[in-house]
Amino acid sequence: MRSVSIICGLVLLASSALQVALADEAIPVGKLPEDATPLAYSLKLKIDPREERFNGQVGIRVKLSKAADHLWLHGQDLDVNKVQLIDAAGKAHKATYAAQKEGVAKVTFDGTLPAQDVELVFDYSAAFNAKLEGLYKVKVGDDAYAVTQMEAISARNAFPGFDEPRFKTPFDITLTVPKAEVAVANTIPKREETSANGKWKTIVYATTKPLPTYLVAVAVGPWDVVDAAPMPANDIRKNPVPLRAIGPRGTGSQLHWILEQTPAIVKYYEEYTNQPYPFDKLDLLGAPDFGAGAMENAGLIVFRDALLRLDAQSPADLYRSSFDVTAHEIAHQWFGDLVTVPWWDDIWLNEAFATWAQGKATVALKPEYHGDLGRLEGALGAMRSDSLLSARKIRQPIAGQGDIENAFDGITYQKGAAVLRMFEEWLGEDTYRKAMRAYLARHAFGSGNSDDLVATIAEVSGKGETLKTAMRSLLDQPGIPLVHAGLACGNGKATLALVQSRYLPFGVLGKQGSGWSIPVCARFGHADKSARQCFLLDKPQQTFAADGGCADWYLPNADAAGYYRFTMADADFAALGRHIGTLTAPEQMVYADAVSSGFHRGDVLPATVLGAMPALASADMPQVATALLRDFAWIRRHLATDATRPALDAYAIALYGPRLKALGLKRRPDDAAATINLRVRLAEFLALTVRDPDVRKALNAQGRAVLGLDAGIKVDLEHADPDLLRTVLMVTVQESGTPAFDAVLGELGRNHQTAQRYEMLAALGATRDPVLGDRARDYALTPAVQLGEMSRLYGANIEEPENRAAYWTWFQAHYEALKARMSPLARGHLPAMPANGRCSGSEADELRNFFEPRIKDLTGGERILAQSLETITQCNSLREHVGEKSLATWAEAHPAR
């Protein structure tokens, strides 16, 4: 009896301790606890897109690793009406579901269960999401569509589950939908049954490969489906893969081009990775409204439909974008889907890999698109945000939902891809390919993190700790390395001195980090030849012997392969400038970036920036010819006065006007992709930035004809130049006023061509008329504008300096309505919307004072606000440092004629 009493006392003590522990247990709004792990899902959904709600049942097989009377998982805005728990012996237990904060839910059992595998079954219903998250609904005319977007943490809006990327399990998906609707999921259908009343059909799909919840996808609606020939088996993949494109009703004829491109993309990645395409089919689906550009769901990639809908009236740039985005999303089938990151701090492994691989595929398969220049523009764009003290690391710790949302930015995508390419160039393409193959093979259908990748590259390359230190120095600290280079010659020999620091714009005082370990490759020019030589800069300053003796000139970033900026002595930089014609197009772009970054560092005057433009303006590649136009626009906006602006504009027109005149304002049958791209860039620059009267007159005439303003006929966008449609309509609304505005507004009510809608919405936003501006801003809050379309109008509106005061007044008055229309996860970007163009301390204070009391309600908003304020402060510091007088001195030497 004594021993029994002792045992009972211990049990009571343990039970009491457990109750205290549970009472003190915090809601796990970050990672879920380790004591419950999903093993498999059975997901059954009944979906009619014409209704307001859907019904679901999800069964989850869960491994309890220790005794428990509850577990935590995720669920958001779900009405769970029944929960059943079946233990390992088959006994049913009662359980309750209670939603907590931030999408976390607690499932409480009817008693304490020992460690075992159990089955949880949830019966529930929910409203279709109205903010493009989870399982959401879109209406186009009389048609309704249901589509999913689960990344990053929106699967919890569609079903209860363990909504973290580390949990990869198979899914059995069953859809019950109206008989006439088309339904698709991640895998091929196994069987289909019709209900007794003939109104419904139930489709059972093949079990998926192990997937995280964010890659689960379904879509239901009156879709057009275009079947392509299956992708044939090859040396790497033993089975053919079904291939389809899917779009809204009536779009089938526009889906063929992307189907023609897809097999070559898949084959390219199979050959590069030595891994077969991982899934049983590939569907490309264009959703009529979508919050992202596209989403890499396993076997069912979802796009904004504009990216798939291509025909003779589509702009050339849309063809290139379609190919690039498709290459990116298909790359994810290996980098992200086959191997998935365990937590969001490593999301760069998904997105940077796909961006890097996309660049390689585009260069290999579509050389006319000049993918090497496109990816370099992306990297240079990432450097703008990486110049901020508030910049993220590539591998940024994740403390909450705001950090997850902030992780999907240019640092993750473009900087991450640039770092991958830098090490590929240093190690050699063959070695790098072997490392990528090894990494994918080791982690296939599982998870891999940064340490796994770095260790694999270090092992395969044989560079061990040297490689690990170098890669981690770029991954685990923010900012851009600035390499100060100097070449010294003597006794027939040359040495290259390199000093590293953090690049910071003028007026920014920040602590230097621990330094980087940077592969630096330089090009040395001797007479009519040049050679490339690489070094590892792993100390604050080092000197290296340069091969070939003293060079006539040198470039510290050969092939533009390095993610760093450089500076040189004035004489060395001048020598490089005299040989700019011998550089490749990417190298010319990093030369231009050295001018630009020097200006923003406060070391280079506006006259130097303007003086560098002529050598670039005549380049064949549009990315080179226009490389300094962003800086020109900054100088024009923030330094020019009524006295100096005419000289500045005349200078730009003299440089670029003849080129645009030679190109014309209409596409020609033999135009190369680069020619069309240059025409678009120059027309936009001259018409909207410089406001050249002759160019605007010609574009307005084209727009009036398209809108039927003079002939009294209906709008016919098919007669517009498709590449210039956006610029044409923007200029026409500005020049022709209310009649043009009303014509565009009327066409928007009838037109469901998504790409054309984007251009028309930008045109409405571009009006500089105060009354029309209010009409445009109000219009974007109505259901006539899809959620994914709103940014087109508001972005164009704030871009015009004349609109900024009215925009800010409107923004404050309509803030709550604007916030209500946006998804909770998208609201964090609200501080950036009115920040464009601000460049003074008072404007920063105005923004800060408005948002600081509201920022806690915006997921991820703290970082966006901090970066917006820092950008304004940097702009103000540089403007005050350079001053208007410096431009006045230049203008006196370059009078307008």
Side-chain angles (χ1 to χ4, degrees), residues 3-19:
S3 60
V4 172
S5 298
I6 292 173
I7 292 170
C8 290
L10 290 173
V11 169
L12 289 170
L13 183 63
S15 175
S16 177
L18 179 62
Q19 289 173 4

Side-chain angles (χ1 to χ4, degrees), residues 359 363 369-380 560 584-589 620-624 674 677 681:
V363 169
Y369 290 168
H370 300 285
D372 55 336
L373 305 184
R375 71 188 175 196
L376 180 55
E377 279 193 316
L380 296 176
T584 65
E587 290 173 336
Q588 291 174 342
M589 289 172 67
D620 292 333
M621 291 295 103
Q623 295 86 348
V624 177
N677 191 334
R681 291 178 185 228

Side-chain angles (χ1 to χ4, degrees), residues 232-293:
N234 53 42
D235 293 340
I236 298 169
R237 176 174 35 80
K238 303 308 178 186
N239 298 308
V241 174
L243 173 65
R244 302 186 300 179
I246 302 165
R249 190 200 303 269
T251 65
S253 62
Q254 297 177 303
L255 304 177
H256 293 278
W257 186 85
I258 198 59
L259 285 175
E260 295 167 3
Q261 314 308 312
T262 299
I265 298 172
V266 171
K267 182 181 179 183
Y268 176 85
Y269 293 136
E270 288 180 323
E271 292 177 348
Y272 185 89
T273 64
N274 201 37
Q275 290 280 342
Y277 173 76
F279 306 110
D280 66 0
K281 54 96 173 172
L282 178 56
D283 287 340
L284 311 176
L285 184 144
D289 197 14
F290 196 63

